């Protein structure tokens, strides 16, 4: 399978061999264990686990909240990237550096910090409470945690594309009488769209599997705010390895299908706008 | 920090928006930024110091907290170098050679990023746990992997697997092979070429990948939580210790220990920004890349 067609440099066998062995030992063989283990249940047993009402409720919550968080991040990520590339304002470099905070801050820290902020006597929670809005220990809290951890993805995928954008296109549009909004809508946005989709897909994939930042603020109420990764942990704690594995496999399959769909959409928009994604 | 110079987009009448629109957009962004990013960060330190410096210091020098710091350092000290070597080998294999299956390999390297951390922990329980593939054999030989330090290290390696490779592959792809080809033609051996030509070219990208890899290794929670077994003082990393304190309603101590991780995150961002500036400066100083950009 891995036949070299060009070997100018030394180190082909060493580097490719090492890469494959390490990849297999750490990633591929253990991941195969999940797939094989889930086969122990048989098709009927597998279906029984993954179609249980609390599991189905967790899929709706995990995938629904991840999609919504991805959309919010697409909108605000685009705005933030636009402001960082196109405008100059005091404190810009600080904002630019701190955008990556969700990548650097451990998820457990994010989780307890958000819970403290949004609980009923927290800095933000007490004001929302008086308005009748409950965030901590509800699905809304999960959404806030997922928006936090997904924020950098769209900003960092859109930013380089915006930076490389030449002003000629916008000049041409303006000289042909397009308004600023028309130029944005019909000239700039189609160019940015594949990058926005990529960022959205990355944020979504991260949010679906997220655990640390969510479990503290979610409250983990069965059927209401239990995310799918938590169910895997619950099953493991009950020594139900088959059940945990079945949920894990179903989650991997759904994520894979959704990412393939997003990739397809990306290829389609790229073709339509005649640009490479 | 304030700059009065306008960006090239603002100088051009065709690519600039009216002033009110610009400031409205900046305003929205800053409010969103302050609300979603700054506020949680500040709250960590505020909660940590709620009971004063004395209580803060006690929470950190407490034996279980120190044990968790030690374990986190050990896990990072093993997993980061291993992923560094892998990242360099993978980047060399992918950017210096053409072979079939290259795209599949690229996708597989990225795979750990799209797997939930909980599943990353689960797979090692299935392989090495009591009911797993090697469970009975390991048990017979009295080797513990799951619910012990080796399991924590393995889970950490898995979640930080792609970081270095991912930074190096696009960088080495962009730099091309000309300099290495010249070295080879002049009679340098493979290792000489690597140490004297490739490594100096990729050092900033390498450092960048290592910093991100280390931040994730020290902060990983979900995957480590599954394989740790939560044995206080023995298999608890810093994030797991934070969770235990928090669940015991010992909030001030939980936030005190969490503040170490928050400081680490700030340090990571500072070094990362510094590396980005260096890379930027070097690209503009390098005649070869300058030339390539003009082409």
């Amino acid at each position: 399978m891995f036949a070299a067609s060009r070997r100018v440099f030394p180190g082909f066998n060493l580097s490719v061999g090492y890469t494959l062995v390490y990849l297999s030992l750490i990633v591929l063989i253990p991941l195969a264990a999940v797939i094989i283990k889930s086969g122990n249940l048989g098709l009927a047993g597998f279906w029984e686990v993954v179609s249980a009402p609390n599991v189905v409720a967790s899929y709706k919550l995990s995938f629904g909240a991840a999609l919504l968080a991805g959309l919010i991040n697409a909108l605000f990520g685009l705005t933030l990237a636009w402001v960082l590339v196109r405008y100059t304002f005091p404190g810009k470099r600080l904002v630019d550096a701190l955008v990556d905070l969700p990548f650097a801050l451990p998820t457990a820290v994010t989780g307890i910090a958000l819970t403290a902020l949004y609980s009923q006597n927290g800095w933000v929670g007490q004001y929302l409470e008086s308005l009748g809005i409950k965030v901590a220990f509800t699905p809304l809290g999960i959404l806030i945690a997922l928006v936090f951890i997904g924020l950098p993805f769209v900003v960092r995928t859109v930013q380089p594309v915006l930076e490389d954008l030449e002003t000629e296109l916008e000049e041409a549009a303006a000289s042909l009488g397009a308004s600023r909004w028309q130029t944005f809508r019909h000239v700039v946005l189609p160019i940015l769209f594949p990058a926005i989709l990529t960022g959205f897909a990355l944020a979504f994939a991260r949010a679906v599997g997220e655990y640390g930042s969510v479990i503290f603020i979610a409250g983990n109420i069965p059927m209401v705010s239990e995310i799918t990764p938590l169910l895997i942990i619950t099953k493991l704690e009950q020594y139900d390895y088959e059940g945990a594995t079945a949920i894990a496999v179903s989650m991997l399959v759904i994520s894979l299908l959704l990412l393939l769909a997003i990739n397809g959409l990306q290829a389609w928009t790229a073709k339509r706008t005649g640009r490479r994604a | 920090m304030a700059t009065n110079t306008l960006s090239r987009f603002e100088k051009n009448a065709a690519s600039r928006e009216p002033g009110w629109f610009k400031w409205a957009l900046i305003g929205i962004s800053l409010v969103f930024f302050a609300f979603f990013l700054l506020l949680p960060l500040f709250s960590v330190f505020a909660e940590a110091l709620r009971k004063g410096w004395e209580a803060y210091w006690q929470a950190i020098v407490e034996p279980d907290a120190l044990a968790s710091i030690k374990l986190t350092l050990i896990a990072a000290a093993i997993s980061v170098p291993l992923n560094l070597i892998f990242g360099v080998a993978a980047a060399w294999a992918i950017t210096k050679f053409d072979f079939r299956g290259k795209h599949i390999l690229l996708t597989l390297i990225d795979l750990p990023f799209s797997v939930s951390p909980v599943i990353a922990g689960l797979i090692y329980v299935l392989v090495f746990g009591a009911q797993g593939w090697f469970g009975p054999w390991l048990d017979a030989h009295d080797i513990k992997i799951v619910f012990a330090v080796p399991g924590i290290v393995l889970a950490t390696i898995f979640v930080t697997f792609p970081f270095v490779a991912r930074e190096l592959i696009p960088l080495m792809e962009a730099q091309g092979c000309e300099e290495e080809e010249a070295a080879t033609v002049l009679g340098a051996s493979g290792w000489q070429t690597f140490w004297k030509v490739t490594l100096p070219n990729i050092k900033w990208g390498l450092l960048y990948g290592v910093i991100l890899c280390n931040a994730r290794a020290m902060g990983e929670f979900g995957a480590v939580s599954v394989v740790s077994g939560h044995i206080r003082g023995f298999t608890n990393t810093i994030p797991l210790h934070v969770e235990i304190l928090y669940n015991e309603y010992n909030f001030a101590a939980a936030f005190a220990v969490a503040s170490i991780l928050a400081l680490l995150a700030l340090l990571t961002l500072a070094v990362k920004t510094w590396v980005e500036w260096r890379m930027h400066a070097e690209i503009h100083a390098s005649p070869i890349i300058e030339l390539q950009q003009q082409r």
Side-chain angles (χ1 to χ4, degrees):
Chain A
M1 186 182 173
F2 294 97
S5 58
R6 182 174 66 112
R7 288 187 193 176
V8 185
F9 295 114
F12 178 78
N13 291 332
L14 180 68
S15 61
V16 174
Y18 182 78
T19 303
L20 287 179
V21 169
Y22 190 76
L23 179 72
S24 305
L25 284 180
I26 299 287
V27 179
L28 299 183
I29 296 172
L31 267 181
V34 187
I35 314 281
I36 294 166
K37 187 91 178 175
S38 72
N40 289 357
L41 276 172
L43 212 58
F46 183 88
W47 184 248
E48 200 183 319
V49 173
V50 301
S51 63
N54 65 328
V55 180
V56 174
S58 82
Y59 291 147
K60 283 184 189 157
L61 177 63
S62 278
F63 287 96
L67 272 174
L68 200 54
L71 289 174
I72 294 172
N73 276 330
L75 185 66
F76 281 98
L78 173 63
T79 311
L80 210 49
W82 186 275
V83 165
L84 285 174
V85 172
R86 297 231 158 183
Y87 304 145
T88 40
F89 57 94
K92 172 172 157 166
R93 287 171 116 178
L94 188 71
V95 173
D96 198 7
L98 278 175
V99 161
D100 283 326
L101 182 71
F103 285 162
L105 197 66
T107 54
V109 180
T110 308
I112 63 170
L114 290 176
T115 313
L117 277 179
Y118 288 96
S119 65
Q120 36 177 317
N121 44 18
W123 288 352
V124 183
Q126 53 181 316
Y127 299 108
L128 293 175
E129 190 85 4
S130 59
L131 295 170
I133 305 168
K134 267 188 175 310
V135 176
F137 317 127
T138 69
L140 193 57
I142 298 177
L143 183 66
I144 292 206
L146 295 182
V147 169
F148 178 89
I149 56 145
L151 176 68
F153 288 104
V154 177
V155 181
R156 294 306 186 218
T157 47
V158 172
Q159 222 175 357
V161 183
L162 258 180
E163 263 159 15
D164 284 346
L165 205 62
E166 292 303 329
T167 46
E168 278 91 344
L169 286 173
E170 288 163 70
E171 284 165 18
S175 69
L176 291 170
S179 72
R180 192 70 194 119
W181 167 250
Q182 284 172 320
T183 307
F184 175 76
R185 172 68 190 80
H186 298 288
V187 177
V188 181
L189 195 61
I191 297 170
L192 298 181
F193 200 67
I196 298 173
L197 260 183
T198 306
F200 170 80
L202 290 170
F204 171 76
R206 172 77 201 265
V208 166
E210 180 57 24
Y211 177 69
S213 58
V214 174
I215 49 151
F216 294 99
I217 201 169
N220 309 325
I221 307 154
M223 304 292 291
V224 176
S225 60
E226 266 185 337
I227 52 165
T228 313
L230 180 75
L231 287 184
I232 298 177
I233 297 228
T234 313
K235 295 252 181 220
L236 267 181
E237 279 168 355
Q238 297 160 350
Y239 300 104
D240 180 4
Y241 290 133
E242 264 94 14
T245 311
I247 299 176
V249 168
S250 68
M251 221 180 124
L252 286 174
V253 170
I254 301 174
S255 310
L256 193 71
L257 290 177
L258 281 169
L259 288 179
L260 280 177
I262 294 168
N263 263 340
L265 184 65
Q266 207 171 30
W268 180 74
T269 51
K271 214 164 119 186
R272 234 182 49 143
T273 53
R275 274 185 149 262
R276 289 195 324 136
Chain B
M1 190 155 279
T3 38
N4 294 320
T5 51
L6 295 170
S7 74
R8 69 184 166 99
F9 297 103
E10 287 172 282
K11 282 181 202 143
N12 192 326
S15 64
R16 100 182 136 212
E17 290 83 31
W20 65 268
F21 185 83
K22 169 187 160 179
W23 288 107
L25 220 51
I26 291 174
I28 293 170
S29 300
L30 289 183
V31 167
F32 183 79
F33 171 81
F35 207 72
F36 270 92
L37 292 178
L38 288 186
L39 207 54
L41 183 65
F42 280 133
S43 81
V44 172
F45 295 104
E47 297 282 338
L49 293 170
R50 184 163 273 194
K51 286 189 180 164
W53 285 99
E54 181 59 29
Y56 178 86
W57 184 245
Q58 284 309 318
I60 288 169
V61 294
E62 183 248 340
D64 288 343
L66 288 179
S68 74
I69 294 172
K70 194 176 150 201
L71 182 57
T72 294
L73 292 176
I74 291 172
I78 299 171
S79 54
V80 174
L82 283 176
N83 283 339
L84 165 69
I85 296 169
F86 162 74
V88 173
W92 184 271
I94 283 170
T95 58
K96 303 293 177 217
F97 306 105
D98 280 324
F99 51 87
R100 276 206 316 213
K102 197 157 138 171
H103 286 283
I104 302 171
L105 185 60
L106 267 172
T107 311
L108 290 177
I109 289 173
D110 269 348
L111 198 59
F113 274 165
S114 41
V115 172
S116 170
V118 170
I119 297 177
L122 171 71
I123 60 178
Y124 293 108
V125 174
L126 292 178
V127 174
F128 300 111
Q131 299 184 23
W133 285 352
F134 302 112
W137 186 88
L138 290 169
D139 213 32
H141 291 78
D142 208 25
I143 304 170
K144 273 189 83 68
I145 291 184
V146 171
F147 307 140
V149 177
I152 291 174
V153 173
L154 275 174
T156 307
I157 293 176
F158 184 95
V159 293
T160 56
F161 190 86
F163 277 105
V164 178
R166 216 179 207 216
E167 286 307 322
L168 288 186
I169 292 168
L171 179 67
M172 284 168 68
E173 199 88 60
Q175 286 177 344
C177 296
E178 283 96 344
E179 292 185 38
E180 278 90 350
E181 273 163 3
T184 309
V185 167
L186 294 170
S189 74
W191 287 112
Q192 281 175 325
T193 309
F194 174 75
W195 288 108
K196 303 222 162 115
V197 179
T198 308
L199 198 59
N201 278 337
I202 61 170
K203 63 177 188 282
W204 295 114
L206 197 64
L207 183 60
Y208 194 90
V210 166
I211 295 162
L212 295 181
C213 183
N214 180 62
R216 182 75 194 264
M218 290 191 168
E220 179 51 27
F221 177 72
V224 172
S225 170
V226 174
V227 295
S228 131
H230 304 273
I231 308 161
R232 234 181 143 131
F234 290 98
T235 60
N236 269 343
T237 58
I238 306 177
L240 296 178
H241 190 61
V242 169
E243 186 201 17
I244 288 191
L245 292 170
Y246 190 85
N247 287 341
E248 287 170 351
Y249 299 102
N250 195 348
F251 293 137
F255 278 100
V257 179
S259 73
I260 306 175
L261 292 171
L263 283 175
L264 177 77
L266 288 177
L267 184 70
T268 301
L269 291 184
V271 177
K272 184 180 152 291
T273 307
W274 178 74
V275 170
E276 277 166 358
W277 288 347
R278 288 304 307 257
M279 271 164 121
H280 194 73
E282 229 156 84
I283 285 171
H284 286 279
S286 157
I288 290 175
I289 295 175
E290 193 97 355
L291 210 69
Q292 279 171 345
Q293 280 179 336
Q294 282 166 5
R295 264 190 272 168

